[in-house]
PDB file of all heavy atoms in Angstrom:
ATOM      1  N   SER T  71     -15.920   1.440  -7.248  1.00 92.00           N
ATOM      2  CA  SER T  71     -16.282   0.216  -6.532  1.00 92.00           C
ATOM      3  C   SER T  71     -17.373   0.482  -5.499  1.00 92.00           C
ATOM      4  O   SER T  71     -18.219  -0.384  -5.245  1.00 92.00           O
ATOM      5  CB  SER T  71     -15.053  -0.408  -5.871  1.00 92.00           C
ATOM      6  OG  SER T  71     -14.604   0.360  -4.777  1.00 92.00           O
ATOM      7  N   ASP T  72     -17.373   1.684  -4.903  1.00 90.00           N
ATOM      8  CA  ASP T  72     -18.466   2.053  -3.990  1.00 90.00           C
ATOM      9  C   ASP T  72     -19.798   2.055  -4.732  1.00 90.00           C
ATOM     10  O   ASP T  72     -20.797   1.490  -4.265  1.00 90.00           O
ATOM     11  CB  ASP T  72     -18.215   3.447  -3.397  1.00 90.00           C
ATOM     12  CG  ASP T  72     -17.132   3.459  -2.338  1.00 90.00           C
ATOM     13  OD1 ASP T  72     -16.902   2.413  -1.701  1.00 90.00           O
ATOM     14  OD2 ASP T  72     -16.518   4.520  -2.151  1.00 90.00           O
ATOM     15  N   ARG T  73     -19.795   2.719  -5.887  1.00 89.00           N
ATOM     16  CA  ARG T  73     -21.016   2.798  -6.671  1.00 89.00           C
ATOM     17  C   ARG T  73     -21.442   1.422  -7.167  1.00 89.00           C
ATOM     18  O   ARG T  73     -22.638   1.081  -7.151  1.00 89.00           O
ATOM     19  CB  ARG T  73     -20.785   3.741  -7.861  1.00 89.00           C
ATOM     20  CG  ARG T  73     -21.973   3.915  -8.808  1.00 89.00           C
ATOM     21  CD  ARG T  73     -23.217   4.344  -8.086  1.00 89.00           C
ATOM     22  NE  ARG T  73     -23.007   5.563  -7.309  1.00 89.00           N
ATOM     23  CZ  ARG T  73     -23.910   6.098  -6.501  1.00 89.00           C
ATOM     24  NH1 ARG T  73     -25.079   5.495  -6.338  1.00 89.00           N
ATOM     25  NH2 ARG T  73     -23.652   7.219  -5.854  1.00 89.00           N
ATOM     26  N   PHE T  74     -20.475   0.614  -7.566  1.00 87.00           N
ATOM     27  CA  PHE T  74     -20.766  -0.729  -8.059  1.00 87.00           C
ATOM     28  C   PHE T  74     -21.367  -1.582  -6.950  1.00 87.00           C
ATOM     29  O   PHE T  74     -22.304  -2.345  -7.176  1.00 87.00           O
ATOM     30  CB  PHE T  74     -19.477  -1.369  -8.579  1.00 87.00           C
ATOM     31  CG  PHE T  74     -19.713  -2.572  -9.442  1.00 87.00           C
ATOM     32  CD1 PHE T  74     -19.937  -2.441 -10.801  1.00 87.00           C
ATOM     33  CD2 PHE T  74     -19.721  -3.846  -8.894  1.00 87.00           C
ATOM     34  CE1 PHE T  74     -20.158  -3.549 -11.603  1.00 87.00           C
ATOM     35  CE2 PHE T  74     -19.937  -4.966  -9.679  1.00 87.00           C
ATOM     36  CZ  PHE T  74     -20.154  -4.813 -11.046  1.00 87.00           C
ATOM     37  N   GLN T  75     -20.855  -1.428  -5.747  1.00 85.00           N
ATOM     38  CA  GLN T  75     -21.378  -2.194  -4.622  1.00 85.00           C
ATOM     39  C   GLN T  75     -22.799  -1.775  -4.292  1.00 85.00           C
ATOM     40  O   GLN T  75     -23.656  -2.617  -3.986  1.00 85.00           O
ATOM     41  CB  GLN T  75     -20.492  -2.013  -3.398  1.00 85.00           C
ATOM     42  CG  GLN T  75     -20.981  -2.798  -2.188  1.00 85.00           C
ATOM     43  CD  GLN T  75     -19.946  -2.849  -1.098  1.00 85.00           C
ATOM     44  OE1 GLN T  75     -19.074  -3.692  -1.091  1.00 85.00           O
ATOM     45  NE2 GLN T  75     -20.050  -1.917  -0.175  1.00 85.00           N
ATOM     46  N   ILE T  76     -23.063  -0.471  -4.324  1.00 83.00           N
ATOM     47  CA  ILE T  76     -24.411   0.015  -4.045  1.00 83.00           C
ATOM     48  C   ILE T  76     -25.391  -0.515  -5.085  1.00 83.00           C
ATOM     49  O   ILE T  76     -26.525  -0.901  -4.776  1.00 83.00           O
ATOM     50  CB  ILE T  76     -24.427   1.555  -4.037  1.00 83.00           C
ATOM     51  CG1 ILE T  76     -23.656   2.083  -2.811  1.00 83.00           C
ATOM     52  CG2 ILE T  76     -25.853   2.083  -4.021  1.00 83.00           C
ATOM     53  CD1 ILE T  76     -23.442   3.574  -2.826  1.00 83.00           C
ATOM     54  N   THR T  77     -24.925  -0.586  -6.336  1.00 84.00           N
ATOM     55  CA  THR T  77     -25.796  -1.005  -7.431  1.00 84.00           C
ATOM     56  C   THR T  77     -25.999  -2.514  -7.480  1.00 84.00           C
ATOM     57  O   THR T  77     -27.123  -3.002  -7.659  1.00 84.00           O
ATOM     58  CB  THR T  77     -25.214  -0.542  -8.783  1.00 84.00           C
ATOM     59  OG1 THR T  77     -25.041   0.880  -8.760  1.00 84.00           O
ATOM     60  CG2 THR T  77     -26.135  -0.911  -9.934  1.00 84.00           C
ATOM     61  N   THR T  78     -24.910  -3.263  -7.305  1.00 81.00           N
ATOM     62  CA  THR T  78     -24.972  -4.720  -7.491  1.00 81.00           C
ATOM     63  C   THR T  78     -24.877  -5.498  -6.193  1.00 81.00           C
ATOM     64  O   THR T  78     -25.163  -6.691  -6.174  1.00 81.00           O
ATOM     65  CB  THR T  78     -23.844  -5.192  -8.423  1.00 81.00           C
ATOM     66  OG1 THR T  78     -22.583  -5.012  -7.767  1.00 81.00           O
ATOM     67  CG2 THR T  78     -23.852  -4.407  -9.733  1.00 81.00           C
ATOM     68  N   GLY T  79     -24.437  -4.851  -5.104  1.00 74.00           N
ATOM     69  CA  GLY T  79     -24.312  -5.528  -3.828  1.00 74.00           C
ATOM     70  C   GLY T  79     -22.969  -6.176  -3.584  1.00 74.00           C
ATOM     71  O   GLY T  79     -22.805  -6.908  -2.601  1.00 74.00           O
ATOM     72  N   SER T  80     -21.982  -5.937  -4.455  1.00 79.00           N
ATOM     73  CA  SER T  80     -20.690  -6.604  -4.277  1.00 79.00           C
ATOM     74  C   SER T  80     -19.579  -5.826  -4.975  1.00 79.00           C
ATOM     75  O   SER T  80     -19.790  -5.215  -6.024  1.00 79.00           O
ATOM     76  CB  SER T  80     -20.745  -8.027  -4.841  1.00 79.00           C
ATOM     77  OG  SER T  80     -19.477  -8.637  -4.758  1.00 79.00           O
ATOM     78  N   ARG T  81     -18.376  -5.873  -4.375  1.00 85.00           N
ATOM     79  CA  ARG T  81     -17.174  -5.339  -5.035  1.00 85.00           C
ATOM     80  C   ARG T  81     -16.422  -6.431  -5.795  1.00 85.00           C
ATOM     81  O   ARG T  81     -15.459  -6.142  -6.507  1.00 85.00           O
ATOM     82  CB  ARG T  81     -16.208  -4.747  -3.997  1.00 85.00           C
ATOM     83  CG  ARG T  81     -16.726  -3.557  -3.228  1.00 85.00           C
ATOM     84  CD  ARG T  81     -15.641  -3.021  -2.297  1.00 85.00           C
ATOM     85  NE  ARG T  81     -16.211  -2.175  -1.275  1.00 85.00           N
ATOM     86  CZ  ARG T  81     -16.372  -0.856  -1.395  1.00 85.00           C
ATOM     87  NH1 ARG T  81     -15.991  -0.249  -2.492  1.00 85.00           N
ATOM     88  NH2 ARG T  81     -16.911  -0.150  -0.422  1.00 85.00           N
TER      89      ARG T  81
END
Side-chain angles (χ1 to χ4, degrees):
S71 71
D72 286 334
R73 179 54 55 185
F74 196 87
Q75 180 167 275
I76 291 171
T77 303
T78 68
S80 176
R81 296 183 198 270

